[in-house]
Amino acid sequence: MRPLRRPPLGLWILAGTLAAGGAAARGQDAAAIIAKARAYLGSEAALDGVRSLHFTGTMQEFFGTDPTPVNSTVEIIFQKPCQQCIVRKWADKVETTGLDDLEAWLRTEDAKNPAQWRLTLLAPDFVKRLRANTWENLNFYQGLEREGGTVSVLGSADVDGVKTVKVAFTHEPGIVFTRYFDAATGRLVLTETEQGGRVRQEGEIMAGGLRFHAREIYQTQGPDAKGQIVSKRMVITFEKITVNEVFPDSRFAVPALLPPAAAPAP
């Protein structure tokens, strides 16, 4: 196994002009803001009934000033209580990130020769971030305090002309999702992470009686083909979203390092 040199896609999951927060917005009740944000997505019954989410789509990555994207397909699965699997496929390789409660891993294989692969067990800090990311995707903003986290209203902000309320979801020190909700509708407009990543949410897809974003635009830093750190933009376009499929635990468990031994001859 080789050391991990960059964070897997799941850690980036979560651009505009931001204004300073106002006292009026800071005085708002976090529960009321969350209730409006959840109502925008769907009914309480539909939200509370989510056990798993399955996204499939495409991704384009732009590095620095190069206008030519690197294209891949992407499949993302979240399943309660705390499982995640992300599969990305390029022409030359397949990369799978998995989380199974307290264990997380990254497997990379040659797309043309699956026998050529490597497996990396992710460090505890990565596991914590993947767990937080999984919670964020499955719980729709509600209940973080029961998990030991906090929710804080930070103020108001203007994001590309949209008046928003800025709310920080802190899972623990160093793991924070700062979300900007449209003050009028509760729609999620922008997400920031403490690592400097920014995610814009656009469009919508209806699935399972709930409203999801059709496209997410990530702005971050990352290595280009030469290994140099440059600005990086990722655009994920979802083609299909399925709610409450049932996935076996084996989909998320750490893969075996060796193939199973052949059964003895009779």
Side-chain angles (χ1 to χ4, degrees):
M1 292 181 286
R2 302 182 182 180
L4 185 64
R5 304 176 67 179
R6 61 176 179 80
L9 174 62
L11 302 189
W12 284 328
I13 299 288
L14 342 160
T17 302
L18 307 181
R26 285 194 293 272
Q28 292 187 48
D29 180 66
I33 297 170
I34 289 174
K36 180 181 285 189
R38 285 170 62 88
Y40 179 83
L41 299 176
S43 69
E44 284 295 312
L47 292 167
D48 291 341
V50 171
R51 300 299 303 170
S52 72
L53 297 174
H54 185 190
F55 303 82
T56 56
T58 59
M59 177 184 287
Q60 293 179 304
E61 296 176 274
F62 299 86
F63 296 89
T65 58
D66 188 347
T68 304
V70 176
N71 298 312
S72 62
T73 63
V74 62
E75 178 184 20
I76 306 171
I77 299 170
F78 299 102
Q79 181 166 269
K80 287 184 177 180
C82 197
Q83 293 175 315
Q84 178 186 143
C85 182
I86 299 177
V87 181
R88 293 187 63 196
K89 296 181 179 181
W90 296 264
D92 59 342
K93 70 175 180 178
V94 179
E95 183 180 275
T96 304
T97 304
L99 170 70
D100 189 12
D101 194 12
L102 296 175
E103 295 182 315
W105 48 276
L106 174 67
R107 189 181 192 275
T108 304
E109 69 179 49
D110 188 318
K112 299 179 181 179
N113 183 9
Q116 297 293 321
W117 57 271
R118 67 175 182 269
L119 178 69
T120 303
L121 298 180
L122 302 183
D125 284 350
F126 283 1
V127 175
K128 291 178 181 179
R129 294 181 186 278
L130 287 173
R131 286 174 59 86
N133 178 258
T134 301
W135 186 94
E136 289 284 330
N137 279 276
L138 288 170
N139 290 279
F140 306 100
Y141 321 128
Q142 183 168 277
L144 183 57
E145 296 88 347
R146 293 194 297 270
E147 303 297 322
T150 61
V151 180
S152 306
V153 181
L154 302 182
S156 60
D158 183 87
V159 181
D160 286 349
V162 178
K163 294 182 179 180
T164 69
V165 181
K166 182 179 179 181
V167 182
F169 296 80
T170 303
H171 291 255
E172 61 178 78
I175 303 180
V176 184
F177 294 80
T178 302
R179 301 192 182 276
Y180 296 76
F181 298 100
D182 186 321
T185 66
R187 177 178 65 91
L188 178 62
V189 178
L190 170 70
T191 299
E192 295 177 326
T193 70
E194 79 292 336
Q195 296 176 310
R198 310 181 84 192
V199 187
R200 293 296 302 268
Q201 287 83 8
E202 298 180 350
E204 71 175 42
I205 294 179
M206 296 299 297
L210 296 173
R211 179 184 281 123
F212 296 90
H213 294 101
R215 185 167 51 258
E216 295 189 339
I217 303 173
Y218 297 73
Q219 193 72 44
T220 184
Q221 300 282 321
D224 61 11
K226 298 179 181 179
Q228 298 177 329
I229 301 300
V230 298
S231 63
K232 180 177 180 179
R233 183 166 62 94
M234 299 184 295
V235 181
I236 299 180
T237 302
F238 296 118
E239 299 171 348
K240 183 179 180 181
I241 301 174
T242 307
V243 178
N244 287 344
E245 288 181 69
V246 178
F247 298 93
D249 289 341
S250 58
R251 186 70 186 263
F252 311 95
V254 178
L257 293 175
L258 296 173

